[in-house]
Structures are given as structure tokens and as C-alpha cells.
Amino acid sequence: MLRVGALLRAAPGLRRTELLRGRSSCCPRLLCCAPVPVAASRGLSGTDRSPGEAPAPAPGWYGSLSDSAPVHLCEDLLVSVQQLSGLPWWMSIMAATLTVRTAVTLPLAAYQLLIVCKVEALQAEISELAKRLRYEVLVRAKERGWTEKQSRFQFKKNLRRIVSQLYIRDNCHPFKASLLVWVQLPLWISLSLALRNLSLNQSALQEELAAGGALWFSDLTVPDSTWILPVCLGLTNLLIVEVFSLQRVGVSGVQRLVLNGIRGFCVLMIPIAAVVPSSMALYWFTSSLVGFSHNLILRSPAVHKILRLPTRRSETPYRDLLSAFISKCGLKQTSNVPDSQFYKL
């Protein structure tokens, strides 16, 4: 089975929509023998056009987004992985998810961890410089007769300048830690819409996806009527949130509110995943599992040595995580099992 990229190279003069729909007259045998995915020319409703009809613009922002170039690239990626590997579609979706998240988001997550550790290492120096600055501002305020408001303004302005210089010196501006979100979120949306487009009835691969499932989700083009995938997705996301919250000490009211909001969103994803095609729900579930495994890998002391983190980390992160989970759930207080038995994994 030829790939989309091969067809594009074989017929460079063809438009994308003509090539994918197999309606070109200059290369009919090539297009007939190579079923190619992605009906890129259909609108949001998926209605086919007649051969002589001009392309109609996709209605609304959602139609434009689902017909955008990043989504089409993700469609081609998914199709290429399936054709090159020869795996069933459900395994191919999982393999593509693992590959993309490991190749793209895992290095960004490691970079985020490095930036966060550098910022944490600066806190002691910032605290010491803030004390010296406060003394200097008090001396200058007495000399020039500043009011308390003026003194506070001078202190905050100079402290921001000092902190900014420290970030530049160590190349660890906190905004760099958000790079993972700015890459992962668009990637997640693009792959989700790509799977949705491939699962539509007008897609050339709809029949393959309909027979490419397994177990209870044998048809990847319809929602999971058993709700097993959606519930597994919600539980996995909640597990990730709770593990993340275990490493937070002294959570403020705002942070607790944000944390509860994220928990609510994890629960909300369950009914959403129950009404989308199973291919999307499978991708979301696999992505969450891979993200959770990456989170555990980045806690390893061996990884910390490779990254040369500036702050000292625990040598037993997994034992500490289990201990924090047990303490949070109150299992130690209600159990007569010794501590040593809890840590034998």
C-alpha cells in the first residue's frame, strides 16, 4: 500500500484534495490501486461534493481547525505508522502515541524539570539578596525621606531587576518551563481531530478502522458503549493529578482551588470520551498512560544524574511516593502492618 507522501511525489501537479479523493484524470491507475486516507475536501458535516463542484469552505472555527495543515500532517503520520508496521489499527494508534510522546514530549518534560530545579536552586540566593536589598532601601529611605509606599515600590522594582538578572545568568526563566504545555496541547488536539477525521463515514479508511479494534471496542469508528475506555481514562488522569499533588507541600487556597478544578475536568472527560469515536478515546487513554510512565521515569535518580540537576533529590523517590500516598489515604493509621511491609514492592 502506497503512502500519501509517495503519491504526492509521484504526481506533484495534483491538488491534495484531488489526490486523496482519487478523482484525478492524469494518474487514474495509480490512484485506484492505492487507497489513501483523509478526505481532506469534505466540510464539517462530511457531505461529498460532485466532481465539478468547487470546494466549499469549512463552516466555523471547528471546521477550519479540523481541516488545518497540522491535523492533516497527523493524519498522514497515523496512516504511515499503520502501513509501515502492518499492525492492527488499535495497536497502531497506541504505537504512534508512544512514539510521538517519547520523541517530543519526554525531552520537553525533562527540560521543564531542569528549569524548575534551577529556579528552586536560586531561591536561597534570592532570599539572601532580598534581605540585603531591604536594608539598603531602608537606609536610602531615611536619607531621602521616602514614604512607606515609595520604599515598597523601590524594593519591588529592584528585586524584580535582580531576579531577572539571576534568571538570565542561569538561563532558567520560569516561562521556559511552560514550553511543554505549548507543544503538548496543540499536538494532542491535532492528533485527536486527525483520528476523528479518519473515523468519519466518508473517510477512505473508515472500513479498516471499523474492523481495526479489539476486545470490547472492535469498531474504532463508534463510541465505546461499555464506557470502559472512558472510565479508565478518567481514573488514569485522576491518578496523575493525585501523584502530582503528593509532591506539593503547604498548598495555598488558590492552588487547592486549581487542583480541584483539574480534578473536575478529569471527571468531565469521562462522558466526553463516551461520545467520541473509540479511536479518540483509545488515544486519550494511551496518552495518559504514557504521560504517567514518563512522570515516574523522570523521578528516577539515574535520570537526575544524567540531567545534572542542581538541587539534591531523594534517592528513593518511589518509596517516598508510596509513603506519601499511604499517609494521605490514612492507611498506616488503620493498619497493623509494619512499615517495612508497606515498602516491599
Side-chain angles (χ1 to χ4, degrees):
M1 183 179 293
L2 296 177
R3 290 186 300 167
V4 175
L7 292 177
L8 289 173
R9 291 191 296 269
L14 296 179
R15 293 184 305 166
R16 176 186 175 87
T17 54
E18 292 177 340
L19 184 61
L20 295 181
R21 291 181 63 82
R23 291 195 279 112
S24 173
S25 59
C26 61
C27 190
R29 295 186 62 185
L30 175 63
L31 296 175
C32 291
C33 67
V36 184
V38 191
S41 58
R42 52 172 194 270
L44 183 61
S45 60
T47 305
D48 288 337
R49 299 192 308 268
S50 60
E53 185 180 354
W61 65 269
Y62 184 81
S64 300
L65 182 61
S66 62
D67 197 36
S68 61
V71 175
H72 291 316
L73 288 175
C74 290
E75 292 171 2
D76 296 341
L77 171 65
L78 291 168
V79 173
S80 298
V81 170
Q82 196 278 331
Q83 292 175 349
L84 290 174
S85 64
L87 297 172
W89 264 104
W90 69 274
M91 292 184 64
S92 177
I93 292 173
M94 298 181 70
T97 304
L98 176 62
T99 302
V100 170
R101 293 221 50 174
T102 303
V104 178
T105 62
L106 180 58
L108 291 177
Y111 180 71
Q112 181 188 56
L113 177 62
L114 180 62
I115 296 297
V116 170
C117 290
K118 286 184 176 181
V119 173
E120 290 178 354
L122 284 176
Q123 296 309 306
E125 185 176 357
I126 292 175
S127 178
E128 183 64 28
L129 291 175
K131 293 179 181 179
R132 293 169 53 184
L133 177 62
R134 183 176 289 107
Y135 174 77
E136 293 178 3
V137 169
L138 289 176
V139 173
R140 190 65 60 87
K142 291 180 180 180
E143 293 177 353
R144 300 189 178 185
W146 289 344
T147 63
E148 182 180 352
K149 184 177 181 180
Q150 290 174 326
S151 301
R152 189 183 304 112
F153 172 77
Q154 291 294 332
F155 173 76
K156 291 181 178 180
K157 183 182 72 172
N158 285 277
L159 182 61
R160 284 195 299 266
R161 176 180 56 82
I162 292 173
V163 171
S164 179
Q165 291 174 350
L166 291 176
Y167 288 158
I168 294 174
R169 185 195 69 184
D170 291 359
N171 191 23
C172 62
H173 195 283
F175 181 78
K176 294 182 179 181
S178 65
L179 181 61
L180 174 62
V181 177
W182 295 110
V183 173
Q184 183 174 340
L185 184 59
L187 182 63
W188 184 84
I189 294 175
S190 297
L191 282 170
S192 298
L193 291 178
L195 286 169
R196 176 192 175 277
N197 290 345
L198 294 177
S199 299
L200 293 177
N201 293 332
Q202 287 74 21
S203 172
L205 290 175
Q206 191 271 341
E207 293 184 1
E208 293 185 20
L209 283 166
L215 302 177
W216 68 91
F217 54 98
S218 57
D219 189 347
L220 294 175
T221 63
V222 298
D224 181 9
S225 59
T226 64
W227 282 53
I228 295 178
L229 280 177
V231 171
C232 290
L233 169 66
L235 293 177
T236 304
N237 289 336
L238 285 174
L239 178 62
I240 295 174
V241 173
E242 297 307 319
V243 169
F244 176 79
S245 65
L246 290 177
Q247 55 188 349
R248 296 292 178 180
V249 180
V251 180
S252 64
V254 176
Q255 291 175 332
R256 188 178 295 106
L257 183 63
V258 172
L259 192 60
N260 290 333
I262 297 176
R263 291 188 179 113
F265 180 76
C266 294
V267 176
L268 181 63
M269 283 296 295
I270 296 178
I272 294 177
V275 297
V276 300
S278 297
S279 58
M280 293 177 63
L282 177 63
Y283 162 64
W284 293 349
F285 175 52
T286 305
S287 181
S288 296
L289 284 179
V290 174
F292 180 64
S293 64
H294 287 172
N295 186 291
L296 295 179
I297 291 174
L298 291 176
R299 291 172 177 266
S300 170
V303 175
H304 295 173
K305 292 180 181 179
I306 295 175
L307 297 177
R308 298 180 181 178
L309 299 182
T311 55
R312 184 174 180 83
R313 298 279 169 160
S314 173
E315 295 296 328
T316 57
Y318 306 115
R319 179 177 297 180
D320 296 342
L321 185 64
L322 178 61
S323 176
F325 179 78
I326 293 172
S327 177
K328 184 175 182 179
C329 296
L331 297 180
K332 285 180 64 177
Q333 289 78 2
T334 59
S335 175
N336 294 325
V337 180
D339 291 348
S340 58
Q341 298 297 324
F342 274 104
Y343 300 138
K344 289 183 179 180
L345 298 178

